[in-house]
PDB file of all heavy atoms in Angstrom:
ATOM      1  N   TRP R 122      60.548 144.599 154.629  1.00 98.00           N
ATOM      2  CA  TRP R 122      60.990 143.745 153.522  1.00 98.00           C
ATOM      3  C   TRP R 122      60.965 144.534 152.240  1.00 98.00           C
ATOM      4  O   TRP R 122      61.951 144.462 151.469  1.00 98.00           O
ATOM      5  CB  TRP R 122      60.160 142.498 153.364  1.00 98.00           C
ATOM      6  CG  TRP R 122      60.393 141.413 154.356  1.00 98.00           C
ATOM      7  CD1 TRP R 122      61.614 140.992 154.891  1.00 98.00           C
ATOM      8  CD2 TRP R 122      59.424 140.519 154.990  1.00 98.00           C
ATOM      9  NE1 TRP R 122      61.521 139.947 155.768  1.00 98.00           N
ATOM     10  CE2 TRP R 122      60.196 139.668 155.766  1.00 98.00           C
ATOM     11  CE3 TRP R 122      58.098 140.479 154.827  1.00 98.00           C
ATOM     12  CZ2 TRP R 122      59.457 138.621 156.493  1.00 98.00           C
ATOM     13  CZ3 TRP R 122      57.458 139.381 155.614  1.00 98.00           C
ATOM     14  CH2 TRP R 122      58.121 138.592 156.464  1.00 98.00           C
ATOM     15  N   ASP R 123      59.867 145.280 151.989  1.00 96.00           N
ATOM     16  CA  ASP R 123      59.762 146.064 150.729  1.00 96.00           C
ATOM     17  C   ASP R 123      60.819 147.185 150.677  1.00 96.00           C
ATOM     18  O   ASP R 123      61.007 147.725 149.586  1.00 96.00           O
ATOM     19  CB  ASP R 123      58.339 146.606 150.603  1.00 96.00           C
ATOM     20  CG  ASP R 123      57.295 145.582 150.373  1.00 96.00           C
ATOM     21  OD1 ASP R 123      57.726 144.457 150.001  1.00 96.00           O
ATOM     22  OD2 ASP R 123      56.119 145.842 150.497  1.00 96.00           O
ATOM     23  N   ASN R 124      61.282 147.509 151.861  1.00 97.00           N
ATOM     24  CA  ASN R 124      62.257 148.675 151.892  1.00 97.00           C
ATOM     25  C   ASN R 124      63.773 148.136 151.878  1.00 97.00           C
ATOM     26  O   ASN R 124      64.670 148.771 152.180  1.00 97.00           O
ATOM     27  CB  ASN R 124      62.144 149.540 153.128  1.00 97.00           C
ATOM     28  CG  ASN R 124      62.767 150.906 153.092  1.00 97.00           C
ATOM     29  OD1 ASN R 124      62.459 151.612 152.157  1.00 97.00           O
ATOM     30  ND2 ASN R 124      63.578 151.179 154.083  1.00 97.00           N
ATOM     31  N   GLY R 125      63.885 146.914 151.362  1.00 97.00           N
ATOM     32  CA  GLY R 125      65.151 146.365 151.235  1.00 97.00           C
ATOM     33  C   GLY R 125      65.719 145.637 152.511  1.00 97.00           C
ATOM     34  O   GLY R 125      66.901 145.273 152.566  1.00 97.00           O
ATOM     35  N   GLY R 126      64.826 145.369 153.502  1.00 97.00           N
ATOM     36  CA  GLY R 126      65.250 144.673 154.646  1.00 97.00           C
ATOM     37  C   GLY R 126      65.667 145.455 155.825  1.00 97.00           C
ATOM     38  O   GLY R 126      65.961 144.875 156.916  1.00 97.00           O
ATOM     39  N   SER R 127      65.596 146.761 155.714  1.00 98.00           N
ATOM     40  CA  SER R 127      65.889 147.660 156.892  1.00 98.00           C
ATOM     41  C   SER R 127      65.193 149.003 156.689  1.00 98.00           C
ATOM     42  O   SER R 127      64.877 149.366 155.593  1.00 98.00           O
ATOM     43  CB  SER R 127      67.396 147.877 157.056  1.00 98.00           C
ATOM     44  OG  SER R 127      67.967 148.609 156.061  1.00 98.00           O
ATOM     45  N   ALA R 128      64.882 149.599 157.821  1.00 98.00           N
ATOM     46  CA  ALA R 128      64.220 150.902 157.780  1.00 98.00           C
ATOM     47  C   ALA R 128      64.332 151.569 159.093  1.00 98.00           C
ATOM     48  O   ALA R 128      64.387 151.018 160.175  1.00 98.00           O
ATOM     49  CB  ALA R 128      62.749 150.748 157.475  1.00 98.00           C
ATOM     50  N   LEU R 129      64.307 152.901 159.045  1.00 97.00           N
ATOM     51  CA  LEU R 129      64.185 153.806 160.197  1.00 97.00           C
ATOM     52  C   LEU R 129      62.737 153.983 160.588  1.00 97.00           C
ATOM     53  O   LEU R 129      61.867 153.818 159.702  1.00 97.00           O
ATOM     54  CB  LEU R 129      64.823 155.141 159.935  1.00 97.00           C
ATOM     55  CG  LEU R 129      66.381 155.088 159.573  1.00 97.00           C
ATOM     56  CD1 LEU R 129      66.785 156.495 159.087  1.00 97.00           C
ATOM     57  CD2 LEU R 129      67.228 154.656 160.805  1.00 97.00           C
ATOM     58  N   TYR R 130      62.461 154.354 161.790  1.00 97.00           N
ATOM     59  CA  TYR R 130      61.111 154.558 162.200  1.00 97.00           C
ATOM     60  C   TYR R 130      60.374 155.465 161.299  1.00 97.00           C
ATOM     61  O   TYR R 130      59.211 155.244 160.878  1.00 97.00           O
ATOM     62  CB  TYR R 130      61.098 155.089 163.698  1.00 97.00           C
ATOM     63  CG  TYR R 130      59.730 155.482 164.140  1.00 97.00           C
ATOM     64  CD1 TYR R 130      58.786 154.605 164.527  1.00 97.00           C
ATOM     65  CD2 TYR R 130      59.281 156.869 164.014  1.00 97.00           C
ATOM     66  CE1 TYR R 130      57.527 154.944 164.948  1.00 97.00           C
ATOM     67  CE2 TYR R 130      57.933 157.203 164.417  1.00 97.00           C
ATOM     68  CZ  TYR R 130      57.089 156.249 164.839  1.00 97.00           C
ATOM     69  OH  TYR R 130      55.852 156.621 165.216  1.00 97.00           O
ATOM     70  N   THR R 131      61.001 156.642 160.861  1.00 96.00           N
ATOM     71  CA  THR R 131      60.290 157.565 160.002  1.00 96.00           C
ATOM     72  C   THR R 131      59.920 156.971 158.659  1.00 96.00           C
ATOM     73  O   THR R 131      58.932 157.261 158.040  1.00 96.00           O
ATOM     74  CB  THR R 131      61.125 158.887 159.828  1.00 96.00           C
ATOM     75  OG1 THR R 131      62.479 158.467 159.315  1.00 96.00           O
ATOM     76  CG2 THR R 131      61.252 159.643 161.034  1.00 96.00           C
ATOM     77  N   GLN R 132      60.867 156.076 158.160  1.00 97.00           N
ATOM     78  CA  GLN R 132      60.549 155.476 156.881  1.00 97.00           C
ATOM     79  C   GLN R 132      59.411 154.438 157.028  1.00 97.00           C
ATOM     80  O   GLN R 132      58.533 154.381 156.175  1.00 97.00           O
ATOM     81  CB  GLN R 132      61.770 154.612 156.391  1.00 97.00           C
ATOM     82  CG  GLN R 132      62.962 155.500 156.035  1.00 97.00           C
ATOM     83  CD  GLN R 132      64.256 154.734 155.716  1.00 97.00           C
ATOM     84  OE1 GLN R 132      64.628 153.850 156.519  1.00 97.00           O
ATOM     85  NE2 GLN R 132      64.850 154.881 154.509  1.00 97.00           N
ATOM     86  N   ILE R 133      59.363 153.771 158.154  1.00 97.00           N
ATOM     87  CA  ILE R 133      58.269 152.823 158.462  1.00 97.00           C
ATOM     88  C   ILE R 133      56.920 153.575 158.509  1.00 97.00           C
ATOM     89  O   ILE R 133      55.979 153.056 157.878  1.00 97.00           O
ATOM     90  CB  ILE R 133      58.544 152.024 159.763  1.00 97.00           C
ATOM     91  CG1 ILE R 133      59.739 151.118 159.633  1.00 97.00           C
ATOM     92  CG2 ILE R 133      57.316 151.295 160.211  1.00 97.00           C
ATOM     93  CD1 ILE R 133      60.307 150.545 160.929  1.00 97.00           C
ATOM     94  N   THR R 134      56.849 154.635 159.239  1.00 97.00           N
ATOM     95  CA  THR R 134      55.609 155.393 159.268  1.00 97.00           C
ATOM     96  C   THR R 134      55.240 155.895 157.890  1.00 97.00           C
ATOM     97  O   THR R 134      53.984 155.793 157.529  1.00 97.00           O
ATOM     98  CB  THR R 134      55.635 156.614 160.209  1.00 97.00           C
ATOM     99  OG1 THR R 134      56.728 157.414 159.942  1.00 97.00           O
ATOM    100  CG2 THR R 134      55.835 156.066 161.709  1.00 97.00           C
ATOM    101  N   ALA R 135      56.124 156.378 157.079  1.00 97.00           N
ATOM    102  CA  ALA R 135      55.833 156.842 155.769  1.00 97.00           C
ATOM    103  C   ALA R 135      55.330 155.712 154.886  1.00 97.00           C
ATOM    104  O   ALA R 135      54.299 155.910 154.116  1.00 97.00           O
ATOM    105  CB  ALA R 135      56.991 157.510 155.124  1.00 97.00           C
ATOM    106  N   LEU R 136      55.986 154.534 154.994  1.00 97.00           N
ATOM    107  CA  LEU R 136      55.561 153.358 154.129  1.00 97.00           C
ATOM    108  C   LEU R 136      54.235 152.866 154.566  1.00 97.00           C
ATOM    109  O   LEU R 136      53.355 152.440 153.777  1.00 97.00           O
ATOM    110  CB  LEU R 136      56.578 152.235 154.251  1.00 97.00           C
ATOM    111  CG  LEU R 136      57.958 152.606 153.608  1.00 97.00           C
ATOM    112  CD1 LEU R 136      59.045 151.638 154.005  1.00 97.00           C
ATOM    113  CD2 LEU R 136      57.820 152.577 152.031  1.00 97.00           C
ATOM    114  N   LEU R 137      53.969 152.906 155.868  1.00 97.00           N
ATOM    115  CA  LEU R 137      52.616 152.464 156.415  1.00 97.00           C
ATOM    116  C   LEU R 137      51.539 153.450 155.862  1.00 97.00           C
ATOM    117  O   LEU R 137      50.440 153.033 155.427  1.00 97.00           O
ATOM    118  CB  LEU R 137      52.535 152.373 157.886  1.00 97.00           C
ATOM    119  CG  LEU R 137      53.267 151.234 158.538  1.00 97.00           C
ATOM    120  CD1 LEU R 137      53.390 151.455 160.066  1.00 97.00           C
ATOM    121  CD2 LEU R 137      52.583 149.894 158.228  1.00 97.00           C
ATOM    122  N   ALA R 138      51.801 154.739 155.955  1.00 97.00           N
ATOM    123  CA  ALA R 138      50.912 155.705 155.476  1.00 97.00           C
ATOM    124  C   ALA R 138      50.540 155.587 153.982  1.00 97.00           C
ATOM    125  O   ALA R 138      49.403 155.800 153.609  1.00 97.00           O
ATOM    126  CB  ALA R 138      51.478 157.225 155.717  1.00 97.00           C
ATOM    127  N   GLU R 139      51.552 155.196 153.095  1.00 96.00           N
ATOM    128  CA  GLU R 139      51.316 154.891 151.769  1.00 96.00           C
ATOM    129  C   GLU R 139      50.292 153.816 151.555  1.00 96.00           C
ATOM    130  O   GLU R 139      49.501 153.743 150.563  1.00 96.00           O
ATOM    131  CB  GLU R 139      52.618 154.522 151.084  1.00 96.00           C
ATOM    132  CG  GLU R 139      53.509 155.699 150.843  1.00 96.00           C
ATOM    133  CD  GLU R 139      54.804 155.287 150.181  1.00 96.00           C
ATOM    134  OE1 GLU R 139      54.946 154.077 149.692  1.00 96.00           O
ATOM    135  OE2 GLU R 139      55.805 156.058 150.256  1.00 96.00           O
ATOM    136  N   LYS R 140      50.243 152.884 152.532  1.00 95.00           N
ATOM    137  CA  LYS R 140      49.286 151.766 152.511  1.00 95.00           C
ATOM    138  C   LYS R 140      47.971 152.130 153.201  1.00 95.00           C
ATOM    139  O   LYS R 140      47.106 151.295 153.329  1.00 95.00           O
ATOM    140  CB  LYS R 140      49.854 150.523 153.266  1.00 95.00           C
ATOM    141  CG  LYS R 140      51.050 149.885 152.567  1.00 95.00           C
ATOM    142  CD  LYS R 140      51.557 148.720 153.392  1.00 95.00           C
ATOM    143  CE  LYS R 140      52.018 147.612 152.476  1.00 95.00           C
ATOM    144  NZ  LYS R 140      52.071 146.365 153.083  1.00 95.00           N
ATOM    145  N   GLY R 141      47.852 153.381 153.719  1.00 97.00           N
ATOM    146  CA  GLY R 141      46.632 153.875 154.331  1.00 97.00           C
ATOM    147  C   GLY R 141      46.562 153.342 155.859  1.00 97.00           C
ATOM    148  O   GLY R 141      45.550 153.359 156.378  1.00 97.00           O
ATOM    149  N   ILE R 142      47.772 153.027 156.394  1.00 96.00           N
ATOM    150  CA  ILE R 142      47.761 152.600 157.745  1.00 96.00           C
ATOM    151  C   ILE R 142      48.359 153.706 158.656  1.00 96.00           C
ATOM    152  O   ILE R 142      49.559 154.138 158.353  1.00 96.00           O
ATOM    153  CB  ILE R 142      48.613 151.341 157.907  1.00 96.00           C
ATOM    154  CG1 ILE R 142      47.997 150.214 157.112  1.00 96.00           C
ATOM    155  CG2 ILE R 142      48.727 150.897 159.406  1.00 96.00           C
ATOM    156  CD1 ILE R 142      48.861 148.921 156.964  1.00 96.00           C
ATOM    157  N   PHE R 143      47.539 154.248 159.611  1.00 96.00           N
ATOM    158  CA  PHE R 143      48.040 155.350 160.397  1.00 96.00           C
ATOM    159  C   PHE R 143      47.982 154.965 161.945  1.00 96.00           C
ATOM    160  O   PHE R 143      46.967 155.292 162.600  1.00 96.00           O
ATOM    161  CB  PHE R 143      47.155 156.599 160.172  1.00 96.00           C
ATOM    162  CG  PHE R 143      47.210 157.006 158.717  1.00 96.00           C
ATOM    163  CD1 PHE R 143      46.269 156.654 157.769  1.00 96.00           C
ATOM    164  CD2 PHE R 143      48.252 157.802 158.225  1.00 96.00           C
ATOM    165  CE1 PHE R 143      46.303 156.971 156.460  1.00 96.00           C
ATOM    166  CE2 PHE R 143      48.367 158.198 156.951  1.00 96.00           C
ATOM    167  CZ  PHE R 143      47.360 157.785 156.030  1.00 96.00           C
ATOM    168  N   TRP R 144      48.933 154.234 162.355  1.00 97.00           N
ATOM    169  CA  TRP R 144      48.943 153.787 163.747  1.00 97.00           C
ATOM    170  C   TRP R 144      49.763 154.865 164.560  1.00 97.00           C
ATOM    171  O   TRP R 144      50.565 155.583 164.018  1.00 97.00           O
ATOM    172  CB  TRP R 144      49.779 152.391 163.888  1.00 97.00           C
ATOM    173  CG  TRP R 144      49.000 151.288 163.301  1.00 97.00           C
ATOM    174  CD1 TRP R 144      47.677 151.088 163.266  1.00 97.00           C
ATOM    175  CD2 TRP R 144      49.586 150.080 162.723  1.00 97.00           C
ATOM    176  NE1 TRP R 144      47.372 149.840 162.731  1.00 97.00           N
ATOM    177  CE2 TRP R 144      48.579 149.270 162.343  1.00 97.00           C
ATOM    178  CE3 TRP R 144      50.908 149.749 162.566  1.00 97.00           C
ATOM    179  CZ2 TRP R 144      48.795 148.046 161.776  1.00 97.00           C
ATOM    180  CZ3 TRP R 144      51.109 148.507 161.901  1.00 97.00           C
ATOM    181  CH2 TRP R 144      50.093 147.658 161.480  1.00 97.00           C
ATOM    182  N   THR R 145      49.429 154.822 165.906  1.00 97.00           N
ATOM    183  CA  THR R 145      50.139 155.738 166.726  1.00 97.00           C
ATOM    184  C   THR R 145      51.574 155.298 167.007  1.00 97.00           C
ATOM    185  O   THR R 145      51.930 154.166 166.717  1.00 97.00           O
ATOM    186  CB  THR R 145      49.450 155.820 168.211  1.00 97.00           C
ATOM    187  OG1 THR R 145      49.576 154.495 168.757  1.00 97.00           O
ATOM    188  CG2 THR R 145      47.983 156.184 168.068  1.00 97.00           C
ATOM    189  N   LYS R 146      52.419 156.260 167.368  1.00 96.00           N
ATOM    190  CA  LYS R 146      53.767 155.939 167.633  1.00 96.00           C
ATOM    191  C   LYS R 146      53.910 154.807 168.669  1.00 96.00           C
ATOM    192  O   LYS R 146      54.747 153.903 168.438  1.00 96.00           O
ATOM    193  CB  LYS R 146      54.544 157.186 168.134  1.00 96.00           C
ATOM    194  CG  LYS R 146      55.943 156.944 168.452  1.00 96.00           C
ATOM    195  CD  LYS R 146      56.777 158.185 168.857  1.00 96.00           C
ATOM    196  CE  LYS R 146      58.197 157.908 169.029  1.00 96.00           C
ATOM    197  NZ  LYS R 146      58.954 159.047 169.391  1.00 96.00           N
ATOM    198  N   ASN R 147      53.163 154.857 169.708  1.00 97.00           N
ATOM    199  CA  ASN R 147      53.220 153.784 170.692  1.00 97.00           C
ATOM    200  C   ASN R 147      52.859 152.423 170.120  1.00 97.00           C
ATOM    201  O   ASN R 147      53.482 151.400 170.545  1.00 97.00           O
ATOM    202  CB  ASN R 147      52.272 154.089 171.914  1.00 97.00           C
ATOM    203  CG  ASN R 147      52.832 155.155 172.815  1.00 97.00           C
ATOM    204  OD1 ASN R 147      53.974 155.487 172.783  1.00 97.00           O
ATOM    205  ND2 ASN R 147      51.926 155.757 173.650  1.00 97.00           N
ATOM    206  N   THR R 148      51.891 152.370 169.245  1.00 97.00           N
ATOM    207  CA  THR R 148      51.499 151.102 168.645  1.00 97.00           C
ATOM    208  C   THR R 148      52.699 150.505 167.793  1.00 97.00           C
ATOM    209  O   THR R 148      53.013 149.384 167.873  1.00 97.00           O
ATOM    210  CB  THR R 148      50.231 151.271 167.754  1.00 97.00           C
ATOM    211  OG1 THR R 148      49.081 151.717 168.588  1.00 97.00           O
ATOM    212  CG2 THR R 148      49.818 149.933 167.006  1.00 97.00           C
ATOM    213  N   ILE R 149      53.250 151.404 167.031  1.00 98.00           N
ATOM    214  CA  ILE R 149      54.300 151.009 166.108  1.00 98.00           C
ATOM    215  C   ILE R 149      55.535 150.492 166.919  1.00 98.00           C
ATOM    216  O   ILE R 149      56.087 149.429 166.702  1.00 98.00           O
ATOM    217  CB  ILE R 149      54.721 152.072 165.097  1.00 98.00           C
ATOM    218  CG1 ILE R 149      53.573 152.399 164.190  1.00 98.00           C
ATOM    219  CG2 ILE R 149      56.060 151.767 164.362  1.00 98.00           C
ATOM    220  CD1 ILE R 149      53.822 153.611 163.349  1.00 98.00           C
ATOM    221  N   ILE R 150      55.919 151.311 167.982  1.00 97.00           N
ATOM    222  CA  ILE R 150      57.075 150.890 168.783  1.00 97.00           C
ATOM    223  C   ILE R 150      56.787 149.595 169.545  1.00 97.00           C
ATOM    224  O   ILE R 150      57.642 148.758 169.606  1.00 97.00           O
ATOM    225  CB  ILE R 150      57.352 151.964 169.854  1.00 97.00           C
ATOM    226  CG1 ILE R 150      57.832 153.324 169.130  1.00 97.00           C
ATOM    227  CG2 ILE R 150      58.407 151.560 170.853  1.00 97.00           C
ATOM    228  CD1 ILE R 150      59.080 153.120 168.242  1.00 97.00           C
ATOM    229  N   THR R 151      55.547 149.393 169.991  1.00 98.00           N
ATOM    230  CA  THR R 151      55.176 148.114 170.682  1.00 98.00           C
ATOM    231  C   THR R 151      55.259 146.942 169.739  1.00 98.00           C
ATOM    232  O   THR R 151      55.875 145.856 170.074  1.00 98.00           O
ATOM    233  CB  THR R 151      53.777 148.157 171.229  1.00 98.00           C
ATOM    234  OG1 THR R 151      53.714 149.233 172.267  1.00 98.00           O
ATOM    235  CG2 THR R 151      53.294 146.843 171.866  1.00 98.00           C
ATOM    236  N   LEU R 152      54.792 147.102 168.499  1.00 98.00           N
ATOM    237  CA  LEU R 152      54.842 146.090 167.493  1.00 98.00           C
ATOM    238  C   LEU R 152      56.295 145.733 167.142  1.00 98.00           C
ATOM    239  O   LEU R 152      56.677 144.558 166.989  1.00 98.00           O
ATOM    240  CB  LEU R 152      54.038 146.412 166.304  1.00 98.00           C
ATOM    241  CG  LEU R 152      52.554 146.470 166.532  1.00 98.00           C
ATOM    242  CD1 LEU R 152      51.805 147.070 165.327  1.00 98.00           C
ATOM    243  CD2 LEU R 152      51.927 145.097 166.816  1.00 98.00           C
ATOM    244  N   LEU R 153      57.095 146.782 166.937  1.00 98.00           N
ATOM    245  CA  LEU R 153      58.519 146.614 166.613  1.00 98.00           C
ATOM    246  C   LEU R 153      59.233 145.835 167.751  1.00 98.00           C
ATOM    247  O   LEU R 153      60.046 144.960 167.475  1.00 98.00           O
ATOM    248  CB  LEU R 153      59.183 147.939 166.352  1.00 98.00           C
ATOM    249  CG  LEU R 153      58.821 148.628 165.041  1.00 98.00           C
ATOM    250  CD1 LEU R 153      59.280 150.054 164.994  1.00 98.00           C
ATOM    251  CD2 LEU R 153      59.298 147.807 163.779  1.00 98.00           C
ATOM    252  N   SER R 154      58.884 146.245 168.976  1.00 97.00           N
ATOM    253  CA  SER R 154      59.516 145.552 170.111  1.00 97.00           C
ATOM    254  C   SER R 154      59.191 144.071 170.193  1.00 97.00           C
ATOM    255  O   SER R 154      59.996 143.182 170.510  1.00 97.00           O
ATOM    256  CB  SER R 154      59.113 146.210 171.495  1.00 97.00           C
ATOM    257  OG  SER R 154      59.577 147.487 171.538  1.00 97.00           O
ATOM    258  N   ARG R 155      57.887 143.752 169.836  1.00 97.00           N
ATOM    259  CA  ARG R 155      57.481 142.321 169.838  1.00 97.00           C
ATOM    260  C   ARG R 155      58.189 141.552 168.758  1.00 97.00           C
ATOM    261  O   ARG R 155      58.642 140.424 169.010  1.00 97.00           O
ATOM    262  CB  ARG R 155      56.044 142.257 169.592  1.00 97.00           C
ATOM    263  CG  ARG R 155      55.211 142.680 170.816  1.00 97.00           C
ATOM    264  CD  ARG R 155      53.674 142.538 170.484  1.00 97.00           C
ATOM    265  NE  ARG R 155      52.948 143.102 171.569  1.00 97.00           N
ATOM    266  CZ  ARG R 155      51.642 143.498 171.450  1.00 97.00           C
ATOM    267  NH1 ARG R 155      51.009 143.253 170.280  1.00 97.00           N
ATOM    268  NH2 ARG R 155      50.975 143.936 172.455  1.00 97.00           N
ATOM    269  N   LEU R 156      58.415 142.229 167.608  1.00 98.00           N
ATOM    270  CA  LEU R 156      59.148 141.596 166.515  1.00 98.00           C
ATOM    271  C   LEU R 156      60.616 141.257 166.849  1.00 98.00           C
ATOM    272  O   LEU R 156      61.227 140.295 166.487  1.00 98.00           O
ATOM    273  CB  LEU R 156      59.029 142.380 165.255  1.00 98.00           C
ATOM    274  CG  LEU R 156      57.727 142.378 164.618  1.00 98.00           C
ATOM    275  CD1 LEU R 156      57.565 143.459 163.498  1.00 98.00           C
ATOM    276  CD2 LEU R 156      57.416 140.973 163.999  1.00 98.00           C
ATOM    277  N   ILE R 157      61.191 142.237 167.628  1.00 97.00           N
ATOM    278  CA  ILE R 157      62.529 142.017 168.216  1.00 97.00           C
ATOM    279  C   ILE R 157      62.554 140.857 169.161  1.00 97.00           C
ATOM    280  O   ILE R 157      63.461 139.964 169.063  1.00 97.00           O
ATOM    281  CB  ILE R 157      63.125 143.358 168.796  1.00 97.00           C
ATOM    282  CG1 ILE R 157      63.355 144.340 167.673  1.00 97.00           C
ATOM    283  CG2 ILE R 157      64.387 143.045 169.555  1.00 97.00           C
ATOM    284  CD1 ILE R 157      63.496 145.787 168.236  1.00 97.00           C
TER     285      ILE R 157
END
């Protein structure tokens, strides 16, 4: 949402890192799949 409503995986990981969140790729992909 903060990225204007869309983002690529690399943007998502960078934005999470800015918030101090460092999840593994598998965790992020799993969460994204659940949201889909």
Side-chain angles (χ1 to χ4, degrees):
W122 282 322
D123 290 346
N124 198 55
S127 68
L129 299 170
Y130 173 81
T131 54
Q132 293 172 309
I133 292 169
T134 57
L136 293 166
L137 287 171
E139 287 177 15
K140 292 180 145 198
I142 301 171
F143 300 96
W144 291 327
T145 65
K146 180 177 183 177
N147 285 344
T148 298
I149 295 170
I150 296 299
T151 298
L152 293 171
L153 289 168
S154 295
R155 289 179 187 164
L156 288 166
I157 292 166

